[in-house]
Amino acid sequence: MNILFVAAELAPHAKVGGLADVMAALPQALVEAGHGVSLVVPLHRGLKRSGEFRRTEREVEVLRGMRARIWEGERGGVALFGLERDEYFDREQLYGEGGVDYADSLERFSFLARGAVELARYLEPTPEVIQVNDWHVGLVPAYVKALGLPMKTVCTVHNLGYQGEFGAEDFAKMELPEGVFRPEGLEFYGKVNLLKGAILMADAVTTVSPSYSREIQEKERGHGLHEVLREQRGKLTGILNGIDMVGWNPSTDGALKKGFGVKSMTGRVECRTALEREMGLEAANGRPIFGMVTRMAWEKGVDLVWAGVEGLVKQGGRLVVLGAGDPVLEEEGRRLAERYPKKVAVRVGYDEGLARRIFGGADFFLMPSRSEPCGLTQMYAMRYGAIPVVGEVGGLRDTVREWDGKKRVGTGVRFVPTPEGLAGGLDRALAIWNEPAMMNEVRRNGMTEDWSWGAAVPAYEKVYRSLINPKGETRCQN
Ligand code: ADP
Ligand code: GLC
């Protein structure tokens, strides 16, 4: 099959979160399975400078009388296309600065969506399926329908918490037929809601874990769209993300002080000591290190950790946190690091090397998410030998199994993401820590799990096939 992916992020040069990692891995996994796969992204500053894309003479007419220049590249058999429009995409950040989105988000992302569709018209061979990822490209199904194009569209929801809501007065900027601003299109309570429009207008909807696909149909976790999703459940499938097992491998990772693997763990001891030093923690073999690598956001439960720091430190734990996002959460983190020197270290910023050293040096990986569509960091942590201590939600439920000391199975600790739940989770983690043999066993269980994209590929193929050849396949439902 020929599939075109459209997204606003691509690791490593245009990344805010896991969406970027998935765009760098899933298309390649589909190529390996024999499909023709392309990916369109905005030519963000980081991508332009990466050297991975080269400028071509090709331009497409997009919106509001503006054109986009096409840049091309290739990675692992995936044809890469970058839409160049510097006034929109040659910026310091991908979405906004200082915790505030850029004021022209709608102009930027409608341009991306329409540009991708214009490009799709001229690709040879024509893609049979366009997979759109998150709200930024949520207008793709609307443009495909408005232009009467034959491609099928799949809307993949990586995070329902971000929907792309704009005022009704912005509708005209998108240059779509009037009829699209209706309840059966992208109108939602009088506003424009790009993700809601994509969910309704796409031929199929996927989300990034089976548990999340169920949660979002409930009021509590549906971010206002639960009824829409429930109505559309016949075309909704939850497919668990994988990770790039080659790019994330502790035995070959150049960011680590020393490589290690499940059969030779001595390198990990060095990584742990190096992490203590790098983060300015006291050297203490007897005290566990809890690591976090996270967007600083309420949904990630960072505030729960801040509220629980005192208890954690009192029980002998230490904490290293790397993250950026909400300025209030960042500031509180800095304050706590000053209050507990050598026990709590907080780095505000984005640093992929340090992220890898936290996965490879911490004893536990803390992720008290209140909502987690899939989550990749807990999988990286397990692969790098940090035992996950996670909120019992979404993809965390589907990837971390609670350690059972009697049956001797499990890979980590799960808790209800509340202050009490977190306290209980930390107690259970410390109980594992206090028994070194158990610690090794839980760690080994996580390190030997297979997180490759192997299982996801056939699930996506099934969705695509059900659209291209609806009679030959039954559509999957949950
Ligand atoms: P989300 O996409 O919701 O942020 P995921 O767990 O799916 O959560 O993916 C987060 C990705 O971003 C991971 O690759 C993680 O290592 C990376 N990441 C998050 N924050 C930082 C940071 N401050 N520095 C480096 N990498 C980060
Ligand atoms: C989103 C989600 C995260 C998921 C990632 C990749 O950013 O918040 O849970 O892992 O997308 O699908």
Side-chain angles (χ1 to χ4, degrees):
M1 286 177 273
N2 288 296
I3 306 133
L4 173 66
F5 279 76
V6 190
E9 297 186 31
L10 173 62
H13 300 290
K15 167 166 166 176
V16 169
L19 170 64
D21 297 24
V22 174
M23 289 306 107
L26 172 60
Q28 276 191 41
L30 287 162
V31 166
E32 280 155 28
H35 304 289
V37 189
S38 322
L39 168 65
V40 189
V41 287
L43 194 69
H44 292 296
R45 184 177 295 174
L47 293 175
K48 197 167 191 176
R49 292 181 181 171
S50 68
E52 198 174 17
F53 290 77
R54 60 173 196 289
R55 186 177 187 274
T56 70
E57 290 311 310
R58 199 146 153 217
E59 286 190 343
V60 283
E61 180 81 38
V62 185
L63 277 182
R64 305 179 288 273
M66 293 187 291
R67 302 169 77 77
R69 160 106 31 199
I70 308 297
W71 289 49
E72 289 182 8
E74 190 273 336
R75 196 195 285 184
V78 180
L80 302 178
F81 297 96
L83 290 184
E84 182 194 40
R85 186 81 204 181
D86 284 349
E87 77 221 59
Y88 286 152
F89 304 126
D90 183 22
R91 297 196 184 169
E92 192 59 37
Q93 300 292 333
L94 303 196
Y95 303 126
E97 291 170 41
V100 183
D101 279 354
Y102 291 126
D104 58 351
S105 292
L106 183 65
E107 285 85 343
R108 302 174 77 217
F109 293 122
S110 55
F111 187 88
L112 170 62
R114 181 59 184 263
V117 171
E118 289 303 323
L119 180 74
R121 298 172 90 162
Y122 300 106
L123 284 182
E124 292 276 351
T126 309
E128 293 145 294
V129 176
I130 308 185
Q131 182 161 335
V132 305
N133 297 275
D134 274 353
W135 75 264
H136 322 106
V137 290
L139 285 172
V140 167
Y143 288 126
V144 167
K145 288 216 157 65
L147 296 168
L149 301 177
M151 304 96 177
K152 299 293 180 187
T153 53
V154 176
C155 165
T156 298
V157 179
H158 294 262
N159 196 327
L160 194 69
Y162 303 88
Q163 298 177 4
E165 276 193 289
F166 301 93
E169 66 284 1
D170 285 325
F171 180 71
K173 293 178 189 161
M174 302 172 207
E175 298 179 8
L176 279 165
E178 282 295 312
V180 179
F181 191 59
R182 295 242 174 92
E184 56 276 20
L186 45 78
E187 189 269 347
F188 197 52
Y189 291 102
K191 287 185 163 178
V192 168
N193 184 315
L194 300 193
L195 189 60
K196 183 257 178 182
I199 290 167
L200 285 190
M201 283 182 275
D203 298 296
V205 179
T206 68
T207 184
V208 289
S209 70
S211 285
Y212 194 63
S213 76
R214 289 187 290 271
E215 286 174 6
I216 56 179
Q217 296 179 48
E218 303 300 326
K219 185 163 190 261
E220 197 195 347
R221 298 192 186 277
H223 298 273
L225 290 183
H226 52 286
E227 280 172 9
V228 172
L229 285 156
R230 217 176 298 155
E231 274 164 24
Q232 301 292 320
R233 68 180 176 277
K235 65 177 194 187
L236 171 65
T237 314
I239 303 175
L240 190 68
N241 283 333
I243 62 169
D244 168 4
M245 298 281 278
V246 176
W248 292 88
N249 179 348
S251 64
T252 55
D253 192 330
L256 301 181
K257 168 107 177 142
K258 194 83 183 271
F260 60 87
V262 74
K263 294 208 181 91
S264 68
M265 291 291 281
T266 49
R268 199 170 199 284
V269 179
E270 281 189 48
C271 289
R272 186 177 187 275
T273 308
L275 181 66
E276 287 178 335
R277 226 173 273 144
E278 178 173 4
M279 297 299 280
L281 292 184
E282 65 191 1
N285 285 340
R287 291 163 170 270
I289 304 175
F290 288 81
M292 285 180 82
V293 175
T294 185
R295 284 187 291 114
M296 293 249 191
W298 186 84
E299 62 175 339
K300 294 286 183 184
V302 180
D303 58 307
L304 294 175
V305 176
W306 293 164
V309 160
E310 192 181 343
L312 177 73
V313 171
K314 272 201 185 127
Q315 286 175 287
R318 293 173 294 160
L319 177 68
V320 297
V321 182
L322 168 64
D326 179 349
V328 177
L329 291 172
E330 290 177 350
E331 192 43 43
E332 178 69 0
R334 284 199 195 92
R335 209 179 53 75
L336 288 165
E338 273 170 30
R339 179 138 143 232
Y340 300 102
K342 299 194 182 293
K343 296 211 164 47
V344 175
V346 176
R347 283 286 159 79
V348 172
Y350 184 87
D351 182 342
E352 169 135 0
L354 178 56
R356 289 168 180 269
R357 290 189 287 281
I358 292 175
F359 298 131
D363 301 301
F364 294 97
F365 186 74
L366 194 51
M367 198 168 175
S369 305
R370 291 187 170 95
S371 162
E372 197 59 74
C374 178
L376 302 176
T377 46
Q378 78 282 10
M379 291 190 256
Y380 298 146
M382 281 186 265
R383 183 146 167 81
Y384 281 57
I387 297 174
V389 180
V390 303
E392 197 161 28
V393 290
L396 299 175
R397 227 180 234 281
D398 298 344
T399 51
V400 177
R401 274 168 299 134
E402 177 81 24
W403 167 251
D404 180 333
K406 286 208 186 80
K407 294 192 188 136
R408 309 209 75 78
V409 291
T411 50
V413 172
R414 297 194 325 209
F415 58 87
V416 179
T418 58
E420 305 74 44
L422 172 62
L426 291 175
D427 286 346
R428 296 205 297 288
L430 290 167
I432 296 175
W433 170 257
N434 287 328
E435 283 198 44
M438 206 189 271
M439 196 62 202
N440 286 337
E441 208 173 329
V442 185
R443 170 174 282 153
R444 201 175 322 115
N445 287 351
M447 288 182 81
T448 50
E449 289 258 1
D450 179 4
W451 302 115
S452 64
W453 281 93
V457 166
Y460 279 106
E461 285 171 333
K462 190 170 174 188
V463 173
Y464 303 149
R465 239 181 275 122
S466 73
L467 303 178
I468 298 171
N469 175 20
K471 291 199 192 87
E473 280 277 336
T474 43
R475 192 171 278 174
C476 34
Q477 302 195 350
N478 10 36

